[in-house]
Amino acid sequence: SPLPAGTFGLWAPDGFIATTQTHVLQVADATGYQTTSTSYVDLANFAATFALKRKATVIINVTMQGGVGLDSAYGHAAYRLTINGNPIPETVVWGSANSSGAFRDKWFPVATHTMQSLPAGTHSVGVQFARGTSAHRAIIANRVMTILVLYG
């Protein structure tokens, strides 16, 4: 059946998500950063803060160029999203690389996303990353964050 006038939306696996209003926020940065920490650290200068006038479904997608600095045959790094400073466990992505030489930087694509129901108010989305114990550093560059706000 047709949707009521003024209703928009998208198809989800279990049906249609109807919306009355949408907003898109996008942040991009090509600056390279690195960490030698094996604990997650915030990615500096790459966060998006936005205000919701009422409860909304928010879809967050982040793509980036991840990498590791290797001093052995292989290494890995982890990347994840945060909302309001809190890690979102289901967004953790591990990247890994192999190398035959010491102290090489190896790059790989990283993409992570989440869909959250957030209350009215101000929210901030960020990225954290860490090196695995087999790499001497984790690297990140060329990233894009897209936030789609769907008001029901």
Side-chain angles (χ1 to χ4, degrees), residues 36-51:
T36 57
S37 176
T38 55
S39 298
Y40 282 99
V41 296
D42 292 325
L43 176 60
N45 304 313
F46 192 71
T49 300
F50 56 96

Side-chain angles (χ1 to χ4, degrees), residues 19-132:
T19 65
T20 57
Q21 189 177 24
T22 62
H23 293 285
V24 176
L25 172 66
Q26 190 168 64
V27 180
D29 189 4
T31 307
Y33 289 94
Q34 63 181 348
T35 184
T36 57
S37 176
T38 55
S39 298
Y40 282 99
V41 296
D42 292 325
L43 176 60
N45 304 313
F46 192 71
T49 300
F50 56 96
L52 299 177
K53 54 189 173 187
R54 61 184 185 272
K55 180 180 174 180
T57 298
V58 178
I59 300 171
I60 304 161
N61 184 60
V62 176
T63 59
M64 64 194 95
Q65 185 178 14
V68 289
L70 299 176
D71 55 6
S72 62
Y74 74 96
H76 56 276
Y79 306 84
R80 70 182 179 191
L81 302 179
T82 63
I83 293 181
N84 302 325
N86 299 310
I88 307 169
E90 68 270 18
T91 66
V92 173
V93 175
W94 284 91
S96 62
N98 296 317
S99 175
S100 58
F103 297 102
R104 290 191 121 154
D105 289 346
K106 293 297 230 171
W107 296 93
F108 41 79
V110 176
T112 186
H113 62 274
T114 186
M115 184 168 76
Q116 303 281 321
S117 178
L118 297 177
T122 301
H123 302 280
S124 181
V125 177
V127 174
Q128 293 181 329
F129 68 127
R131 73 172 177 93

